[in-house]
Amino acid sequence: MFISIENLISNEIIHEDVFLIPQPRYYKIIEEGLLEINDKSSISSDLPNDYHFIIDQLQEELLKLGLKKKLEVDIKEEESPFNHKKVLKICEKNFPNLDISAINNKKKKVEQGYIIIYENLKLYIEADSPQGLYYGTQTLRQLINSTPNKNSVNKIAIIDFPLLEIRGISDDISRGQAATIENLKKFIKELSHFKKNQYYLVYMQDMFLFKNHPEIGTGRGAYSKKEIEELFEYAKKHFVELIPIFQTIGHWENILHNKNYWIYAEFPASNSLNIANNDIYNLLDEMIGELSEVFKSEYFHIGADESWDVGKLASKDYVNEIGIAQAYLKHYKKVYDIAKKYGYKKIIIYHDILYKYEEVLRELPKDMIIMYWNYTVKNSYPILDKVKMFNLPIIVSPSILDFNRIFPSITRAEKNIKNLIGYGFPRGIIGEITSRWGDYKNKEMRENTFYGFIFSAEIGWNASKEINLLKFWKGLFLHFFGFYDRKLIRIFFLFRQIQDNNKLHTRTSFYYNHFFSHPYNKKSKKYRKNIKTSGFDSLISSMEEIISICEELEQHVDKNKINLRNLAFIAKHIRFYCKKRINSKKLVDFDPKRAKNEFKVKIIKEIETLKDDLSALLSEYEYLWRKCAKIEGFESLKQRYLWIIKFYENKIEQLKLNINWENPNIPSESIYLDSKKRHELYTTYYKKQIKINDKIEQANIQVIAGTFAKIYINNLFVGYVITRHTLNYVTLENNIQLFNITAFLNKGENSISIENTDFGGGIGPINVYGDIKLITGDMIQIKTDKTWLGTRNRNNGWKKVKSLGIPPKATGGLNFPDFTNSLHSKENDRIADFNHLVGRIPKRLFWLLKIIMILFNRYNILE
C-alpha cells in the first residue's frame, strides 16, 4: 500500500532541525533543500475505499498547516511506479548497513511500520498495512510542522516500525471525573498522532449504563451504549483499539455500596465480590455480554487487582476449604471462559494478586496476558521476572504519576516509564500501557495528562533507544501546540522544580489535604512552626511568571489553547496555596483585641482578597472541568472550595467583632473499645444516655463509622453508615452521614446505641456529633467521648471506651456540620486511613503505629 505526494517544488532552503515523536527507527536526510507542497501538488494512492479516511485526515491537517485547498487525489488500481523492490533498493542505498531481511522477520511490528522515500520531486509512503500507512502520514505531518513555513518537507529516507506491538494508555473515568465523549476523542486523536494504538477505559463495571441495572452509574456520568459505539468507531479510524477494563472481583465498592447488591458482596460495601456465590458469574456474564455489543476489540481486561476483601466473610469457609490460590484460580478461569464466550480473543489480567501464588501462575491459560504495573523508579523489577518464568505474555504498565497531585510528577514519571519499559523489553514484553488514576474523586486536570502519555509513546515505540529529553520536549510542544517557544520549557522547568525540590514543603500526594484544610484549624506554637512557608514569596513570583507566559502564548498558539489555560490554572492554584499558608501562619496566634485597628483592617482586607481569589479559582475550575468532563462528580469537589470560602467569611466576621480564635473542629472524640480484636472481623456495641427536659424542636447527628455502623435511638433503627478507606468515588461520598433524629427522641431519658462491625480488622473507631435544639432555644450537644460505654457482648458487661482524641487527631480536621443545609463536615481524603492501617500492618507493629499517632498529635502534624 502506498500514498504518494507528487508535483512538489524543490528549493535550496537548508533545514535540518527536525523533531519527530516517536523518533523513527532509521532516518536520513538524503539531499539538501526542502520540498514545497503547493496547490499544484497531488496525491496518488492504492488505498482501498474503506481506508480513504487516511487521505481525508491528511488533507484536513494540511489545510490546518496552511495549504489553501485540498490536493487532487488519484486512486490507482495498477501497481505503483514505486514498487516494493524499488523501495527496498532505495533503502539499501541510503542505509547500507541495514539488514532488511532481519526487519522483515519482525512481522507483527513491521505491519505497523512504514517507509518514507524521496525521489524526483515525489514523497512516497509505503506500508504493509493501512495502520502502517496511517503512521507514515503522522510522521509526514510532523516533518511538515518542523519546517519554518509549514508547507515543506525534508528530502528524506525513513524506515520505521515499533519495537513494541502494543502501546497504549489506561484512562481512569470511574472516580468522579468522567470525560465527555468529545474529550475522549481528542485524547484518541492526539495520542494516535504519536502512534499510540490502545486506549483502555477504567473501570467500566459502574460507568456503563447496563440495561438491567439502572441504579448502577446513576449520577456518575456513566456512558450509554450509543456513546461507546460512537467512540469505538472514531477510535477505529485512528487505528486505536478501545478496550474496557472491567473489574471482575475487586474494586466493586461503587456497586456493592448499594444494599441491593450486597447479595453479591463479601460483606456490605465490600471491595470484593463473593467468589463462593455462583450468582456472581451470572451477573458477570450478563454485564460482559452487554459490553461486548459495543466494545468489539479482540482484547478484554478483567482487572482483578487489589481484591483485598476476598475470604474475609461470605467466602471465608469456601476459601479455607480449597485454599486461597485455588479459589482465585477457579475464579480467573471462570471469568476467562465468560470473556472468551463473547468473542474476546485476548484476555488481560493485572498481576498484583495472582503473582503471589505459583499454583495460579502455573495453571492460568497460557494465552492470558499479565499486565504488570509498577509506579516506582527502580532499575529492576524481580516480580516481572517471576511472572516471565511461567511463559505468560506480559504487558508492563507504568504511570504518568498524576493521582492525587496538583500536577503530574514529571521527573519521576519519566524515570518510571523509561525504567519499566526498558527493563521489560529485553525480557520479551509485548507492550506497554501507561496509566493515569483518579484516586480520591479524580480532582486533577485531565488536560495535563497529555505530556506524560506522549512521553510514553516515545518510549513504547523506541523501547531500547536513548532519548534526548530536551529535543523530545521541544518536539512535544511543537506538535502539540503547533509551535515551539522556549518559554514552554520554562513553564515545565518551574513545575518540575516544585516537586523535585519539595518547594511546597509537603509530599506531592498530600498537597490537596493541606490545600483544603481549615485555614485557621489550630492555635499553638507547634502548629505555627509546622506551617512551612520558606521560599513561598519566590514561588508565588514563579507562578505569576507562568501565568503571564501562558496568557502571552495563548495569543500565538495554533491549537490546544485550552491546555495553556490548564497550565495557568495550576500556577494560580499553587499561588493561592502559598498565600493561604502564609496567611494561616500569620494568624495562628493573632489576637484582634490587642491588635492595632489599622493592622486589623489590613488583615481583614488580606482575607477578603484570599476569599475573592479562591472564588475566582473555583469558577475557572468549573469552566475547565466542563470543557473536558461531564458535570457529574463536580459538585462534591466544589463543596470543598465553598467550605474554605465559608471559613474565610467566618474569620472576617470574628475579626470585625473582636472575637478571638475559636476552635473550628467538632468536639467529638473518635472512640473505640480496645485493640484486642484487630486483624479479625468483629462487632462492637456503643451506647450513651441523654436526658432531655423540654420539647424538641430539631435534632440531628453526624456519624463516622469504623466500618459498618447501625445507629439506634431508643432501640429504634435510624440508619447505617459505611466508612472505609477506598480510592473509589461512591464510598468516599458516603463516608460521613447525617441523620435527622427528631422523631426518634422523647422528653426524658433517651439512649443512643451503635452496632459497629469492623470488616477491615482495625480497631473500629466511631465519631458522632450532633445537636438537639429545644423549643426554649437551648441546645444539647451530642458527642462521642470517654463517657460512652462499649462492649463486644451485650450480655457480658459494658466498659469505658478509649479515645483517639478530638479532631484533628486521628481523623484530621472536622469542622462543624451544617445540619440546616444537610452538609456534613468537610472531611479529608484519608478519613478512614488510620483504621485501614491498623487492619493491614502486622500485629507486632501496632505499638509503632501508636507512637507515630502520638507524635502526630504532639507535633500538630495532622490538619
Side-chain angles (χ1 to χ4, degrees), residues 746-763:
N746 307 303
K747 186 176 178 180
E749 290 291 332
N750 292 265
S751 67
I752 300 177
S753 57
I754 296 177
E755 176 187 317
N756 184 77
T757 302
D758 192 326
F759 294 115
I763 56 174

Side-chain angles (χ1 to χ4, degrees), residues 149-271:
N149 53 11
K150 299 189 185 299
N151 68 350
S152 303
V153 63
N154 289 81
K155 300 171 181 177
I156 42 83
I158 293 176
I159 301 176
D160 197 16
F161 57 89
L163 289 184
L164 292 178
E165 176 188 344
I166 294 169
R167 306 166 307 283
I169 73 162
S170 68
D171 190 353
D172 189 347
I173 44 80
S174 70
R175 290 190 170 129
Q177 185 179 159
T180 63
I181 293 299
E182 287 308 309
N183 187 257
L184 289 170
K185 286 180 179 178
K186 175 183 176 179
F187 269 72
I188 288 167
K189 182 178 180 181
E190 291 289 348
L191 295 175
S192 72
H193 176 63
F194 299 101
K195 305 180 179 68
K196 286 282 192 180
N197 65 356
Q198 288 190 352
Y199 199 116
Y200 292 74
L201 292 179
V202 184
Y203 296 122
M204 292 309 297
Q205 66 273 11
D206 74 313
M207 289 304 293
F208 184 76
L209 296 175
F210 293 99
K211 59 187 176 186
N212 294 329
H213 303 276
E215 60 270 72
I216 293 179
T218 300
R220 302 271 286 110
Y223 298 92
S224 67
K225 182 177 180 180
K226 183 179 179 181
E227 285 179 313
I228 298 298
E229 284 175 335
E230 177 186 341
L231 188 64
F232 192 89
E233 289 305 311
Y234 184 86
K236 273 179 63 177
K237 291 192 173 182
H238 292 80
F239 295 92
V240 172
E241 285 189 87
L242 188 68
I243 304 166
I245 299 183
F246 175 80
Q247 286 288 358
T248 54
I249 183 167
H251 281 295
W252 264 66
E253 298 101 311
N254 286 341
I255 296 175
L256 300 182
H257 199 281
N258 185 327
K259 64 194 300 185
N260 294 329
Y261 289 84
W262 289 357
I263 58 172
Y264 302 110
E266 191 71 25
F267 49 78
S270 168
N271 154 284

Side-chain angles (χ1 to χ4, degrees), residues 526-533 581 584-585 588 863:
K526 288 178 182 176
Y527 177 57
R528 180 174 184 174
K529 185 178 180 181
N530 284 331
I531 301 179
K532 306 292 185 184
T533 59
R581 300 293 279 176
S584 295
K585 184 168 187 173
V588 167
E863 290 194 78

Side-chain angles (χ1 to χ4, degrees), residues 13 65 78-79 96 202 280 282 287 326 337 419 438 502 517 543 568 610 653 705 744 776 818 862:
I13 297 173
L65 289 169
E78 70 274 10
E79 185 179 359
V202 184
I280 71 167
N282 296 329
M287 289 179 157
Q326 270 299 310
D337 289 341
N419 288 0
N502 193 24
S517 68
M543 295 304 98
L610 282 169
E653 187 69 16
F744 294 86
T776 60
D818 182 348
L862 291 172

Side-chain angles (χ1 to χ4, degrees), residues 733-789:
E733 272 292 275
N734 292 278
N735 265 341
I736 303 178
Q737 288 293 313
L738 302 181
F739 300 96
N740 185 325
I741 59 171
T742 308
F744 294 86
L745 295 170
N746 307 303
K747 186 176 178 180
E749 290 291 332
N750 292 265
S751 67
I752 300 177
S753 57
I754 296 177
E755 176 187 317
N756 184 77
T757 302
D758 192 326
F759 294 115
I763 56 174
I766 63 165
N767 185 291
V768 179
Y769 172 79
D771 54 46
I772 303 169
K773 184 178 181 181
L774 306 178
I775 58 170
T776 60
D778 293 337
M779 300 290 291
I780 298 174
Q781 197 173 73
I782 303 171
K783 60 179 182 178
T784 40
D785 56 24
K786 290 183 179 180
T787 65
W788 284 56
L789 299 175

